[in-house]
Structures are given as structure tokens and as C-alpha cells.
Amino acid sequence: MARRPLPRILSSGSAQIARSREIARTAADSATDVLHPLITVSRGLRKLAASARAKWAATPKERRGPTLLLVAACVLVVALMPYGPLLALVTLMAAAAWRGRERPVVKTGPDDTEIARLKGLYEALVPYFSVPEDPAPLFAHGGDWSGAFTEYAFDEDGRPTRLKIAYPPYFTDGEPAARARIEQLLHAKSGRGREYRFDWDEEGNRLVMSVLPALPTTIAAQRFVTVPGETVLGFTDADAVQRTVPVVASDGTEDAPAVVWRTGPRSTEPHLLVVGQPGSGTTSLLRSIALQALPHGDVLIVEGGGTGEYACLTGRDGVLAVECGLSGSLATLEWAAHETERRLIAANRARQAGRPAPEDTRRPLWILLDRPGVLGDLAAADGRPDPQELLQVPLRHGRAAQVTVVVAEQFDSADTLSEAVRSHTRARIVLGPATPDQIAAVLGTEPHTTPTPQVPAGRGYARLGTGPVLRLQVPATPDPYDDATSEAHRQAVLELLPERRAETTMAIETVTVKSPEPAPAPRAEPDPGPAPLHAPVPAEG
């Protein structure tokens, strides 16, 4: 069947449309050339008006009246001068033409330096994203990088800040070792000294590399808006958590994304382990936790380093003891173990009698142990038991007895941590510079970012249970008695300290707790009454 010819209007329409477009483009270019001075002056007037409006908004209210009076006087003087209005108009047009002479340059693509960097990244990835058997490889030496890099962004120095990479489906992105090689390569080629995050989309065969901004270090110790049983460990990225708390920083009040740790009977992570380098902020974190716990509970502090970092808490309301020596530390931890057992027995009897738990068993008790490895070495040299052995009862039964244990240790002594501490501390924090292997050894998995070799104090990673690894910046809580502490931070910590007690020392008696026997019937059990708040009560057999 013969094909019918198209109508003349359809066959010649494309040529007429092209001719019309050319005429319109020529007319637009001619009009732009003719009206270029007017466009320049209009752009300059708009910039001058924006500058005047910004200066007026920045002027204090008490100075706006004199400013208006001065402007009115200048206008009156110009109006009374010979040819004054004409000279003012000419001056204004000249200033507008000068301000509007430069048109903002719109960047439509990468420049030569950025293209060279993208080509270098592409060539470096070829050995990892290509195989000889691929008939149409996405990555090949001398190939086109635009098909592999779908999105990219650069900073002022020409280093990439965001890069979206499409890789072939046969790449083993499910193997951690293969991922680590790609992340290490991109980290080295894109510029060291920055923290990168790598998001792998295994289903879509896409990898997004982005540069993370530094977490703010301007948040100091303060009274955070939390409920009893919640502790703010620090602050992280805005897209990593769903909760923010209002804080007062050095530059004003803001809502900061916080890493909130929940403790108590229903907590799945009742105890915390903090590991870091010397000077990384582990002691500052424990001091921050103590200040947040004191309004609702009691605190026991055992300092293995013996440097007096917790002297500001000695004798305060709610602080049961601050021990630095071996004998006092052993006595304190032994009392804590007996107190945990006493709480369990009292709560069990109350439940069997159909009564609520006594008030003294519901008040949280916090045990903060800083650098137990030093105390362990001293105990071994003196032939005495390791203080960590006394933590087994609080660690195992602390959740039911409202007892929370926080242990802080340094990386060089992390191997001295007991099995009970490693098994029952499901909330983990790593502070200071650390390698990915060190972070994975503490948190159980590697972070999705690349750690930097130099970080400020209190900077690290946190993981609560089996949750994701979060970047963390601990609120600044220095020792207020340290001469190197700034006045603002010193006052912030001093305002949070409770009042001092009349008695600055407290003796903790060491008692022997027998194994409880099965309780008799509730009708035959007399009511023992509530026990004193801070005095250990021996169990009845």
C-alpha cells in the first residue's frame, strides 16, 4: 500500500518554526543591546535599595530618629543648592550604574580544576568497579566519567563535598571489606582532615559520599529539658535522631538534636561504658552524667586515677561518696553490692505482700567508676580482690533495683575490663581520635563515617544497644576548680552543683548479706516498714 504524502503545512512547518525562532532570538538580542544601560541602572538601583533596607534594619531603634533627622537635613540642603536636585540625580544614576555593572555569574557545570579531580576519582575507581568480562563497562580507563558521577558538589577549595556514584551490579557491596576499600580510596582522593559519610544503596547500586559539618562545641553543661530516667549524653546530627532539646549555647538559644539515654526498669541499655584516649573528655562526660542524675537520685563516684577531678562533688546533697583510694573504693563498691541486694529483697517482699515498692528502693542509685584498671593493678599488688568483681551484682540486677553503673576507661587499659562489665554495658561511647578497628571493638560495628585524626575534647561516637552508630559531642563540663577552665564554663558547672551537706563525710558500713530464703505467706509476714534512705539494711534469713 502506497504511503500518502504529508500535508504541505506539516512538511514545511518545521522550517517555518525554526525561522520564527531565529527571528525572535535576533530581536531579543537587539533589544537587550539597546536596553542594556537601563537594565544595568535598574539592577544597581535594586542593589542600593536592598543595602539601604539592610542598614536601616541593623540600626538600633534609639538611633533611628536622629538618623531620619540627618537624612531630612541633607535632602533639604541638596534641594536648596543651585542645580542640587540635578546633581543628586546624576550621582544616584552613576552609583546605580556602578553597582549594577557586574551581572552575577551562574555556574552551569564544573570548571577545569573540578573536572580534573572528577577524572582522577574516576580513574582511581576503575580497578574496583570493572572486570574484563564486562562487554560495556561503566568504569574503564579513559572512559566517560559523567555516566558514573550523577551528582557532585565542590567547596571553595575545589574539593568534592558531595558525590553520587553509580557502580555496576556485580560489585560485592554486601561485603564489608569491599566497602572499606572504596571508602578508604574516596577518603584519600577527596582530601583528608574532613569527616565523610558513605550511604550505600545496594538495591539501586548507588553510593553517596557527603562531607559532614563539624558538630558544635558551644554547648556547655546546663539543666536539660528531660524527664526522670533520661540523660543527655551529647548532641549529634539533625538527621540522625528524631528528638531535639532546647539548649543555651554561646551564640544564643537553639533546639539541638540530642542523644538521650534512658535508664530504669524498662530500659534495654541500663549500664554505660565509655572508652577514650587521655584528654578525650571521658571524665567530663561522667561529670555531666552526675550533674544530671543528682536532682532525681544518689551518686557514688570511684575515681581510679586519683587526680581529684570530682572534688567539686564532695559533700554535696545526693553524693554518697567520692573515693580515690583503694580501701575506700572497695568499701564503697561492696556497700553498693549489698545495697542492690537489699533493694531486690525489699521490692520482692513488697510485691509478695501486694504493696508498692518502698520509696528508698525506687530512688535511682548511680555508680560512676572512672579508670577501674588502675584500681585493679593496685589491688593485685596488695593481694586484694579486683574492684570490678564487686560490680557483678549491680550490673546483673541493677535494672530491677534502680541501680545504674557507668564505667569509663582508656584504650590502653581496655583489656583490663572484666567480663561482667563487657557483657552488661549495652550502651557504649568512644571519645577522642580512634581507628575504625578500635571503634568497632567497642561499639560492635564500624561507623558510617571516617574518623578524623584530630578532634576536640568530647567528640566521638555513641551506640545504644543495637541501634545505629551516632556522632557525638559531649556538653562541656570541665572541673570548676581547674585554673584552665574558662569563667563561663566554671559558672555553668557551679550553678548545677547541689548545696553542701552539714556533714562532708559519710561512713559506709560493710555488711554481710545472706542468701534470702523463700518468703512466707503474706499474712504471716510482718511489715518491716521503710528502711532509711542511705543506710544499708541486713537481709533477714
Side-chain angles (χ1 to χ4, degrees), residues 31-58:
T32 302
D33 294 339
V34 173
L35 300 177
H36 180 70
L38 182 59
I39 295 174
T40 302
V41 172
S42 300
R43 188 187 306 117
L45 289 174
R46 187 168 60 253
K47 291 183 178 180
L48 291 175
S51 300
R53 185 163 53 252
K55 291 183 178 180
W56 176 257

Side-chain angles (χ1 to χ4, degrees), residues 4 35 53 55 99 180 182 201 203 253 270 297 356 436 457:
R4 298 178 58 184
L35 300 177
R53 185 163 53 252
K55 291 183 178 180
R99 288 294 301 271
I182 300 299
D201 181 10
E203 184 178 1
T253 304

